[in-house]
Amino acid sequence: MRPQWNEGRQVNPLTKVAHWLGRHPRSMKLAPVIIPVDRVLHRVSRGRLSLVGLAGMPSLRLVTTGRRTGLARASDLVYTPYGDDYVVIGSGWGRPAHPAWTANLTADPHATIIVRGRTLPVVARRVDDAAERAEIWALAVRNWPGYEMERRIAGGREFRFFVLTTA
């Protein structure tokens, strides 16, 4: 496969494959494989490598405080750059319930992210404003088209959006 170029930057050819998979509901069956492999790669490489990242998607590890246990809880997520901030969307692969990390961030907005091998403290802001949600959704879908399919699969559940700002 020859690499593509976009605005002078090399584009990962696997990104097209990931975007194609993200538009097909059958690809959701890959979640039980992708999630644990991504978790191991992220842990072993100390945040420098992830399966999602290999496909050219920006990814991070979000470490929240469990709202019930008080223990650290890690989730590997796709993010969308938003200026100097990071946007994460609680799509949960289209499952009917909100992912636990979204409730943890709602209870305690202070968290840590590990992105490209760097550990950064962040403060989360939940996005509820309709205009900002629309702006973020457009950016996020351009970044990960699979969000549209996940929204259809979720059966009307409104995803929680968070902007993570470095503290």
Side-chain angles (χ1 to χ4, degrees):
M1 251 187 228
R2 294 190 68 203
Q4 298 175 339
W5 293 86
N6 183 9
E7 298 173 15
R9 295 187 333 256
Q10 186 173 351
V11 176
N12 185 337
L14 293 177
T15 304
K16 277 190 170 186
V17 174
H19 283 195
W20 182 85
L21 285 170
R23 290 184 179 100
H24 294 83
R26 288 187 205 138
S27 67
M28 291 295 122
K29 293 178 181 179
L30 297 173
V33 173
I34 292 171
I35 293 170
V37 169
D38 207 41
R39 189 174 293 137
V40 168
L41 282 174
H42 209 282
R43 185 178 63 240
V44 169
S45 71
R46 295 188 177 122
R48 288 183 201 85
L49 185 64
S50 71
L51 193 58
V52 174
L54 288 172
M57 305 295 301
S59 65
L60 57 78
R61 173 167 281 185
L62 174 68
V63 182
T64 60
T65 301
R67 68 194 176 287
R68 293 185 191 147
T69 65
L71 299 174
R73 301 294 185 202
S75 302
D76 297 326
L77 306 169
V78 169
Y79 74 87
T80 299
Y82 192 58
D84 291 334
D85 298 330
Y86 305 83
V87 168
V88 289
I89 296 180
S91 64
W93 292 76
R95 293 184 181 113
H98 293 291
W101 65 263
T102 66
N104 292 343
L105 270 187
T106 300
D108 181 359
H110 296 88
T112 302
I113 59 172
I114 303 166
V115 59
R116 293 183 301 276
R118 294 178 35 221
T119 301
L120 304 168
V122 294
V123 177
R125 173 179 62 85
R126 187 163 164 184
V127 179
D128 292 315
D129 176 72
E132 188 177 21
R133 282 180 65 86
E135 175 188 358
I136 287 172
W137 184 253
L139 290 171
V141 168
R142 199 170 318 128
N143 184 49
W144 173 235
Y147 283 134
E148 288 287 2
M149 181 199 50
E150 292 173 20
R151 184 168 63 174
R152 284 191 306 275
I153 293 171
R157 174 173 63 84
E158 186 172 301
F159 296 160
R160 295 172 178 165
F161 293 22
F162 293 90
V163 175
L164 308 176
T165 303
T166 54

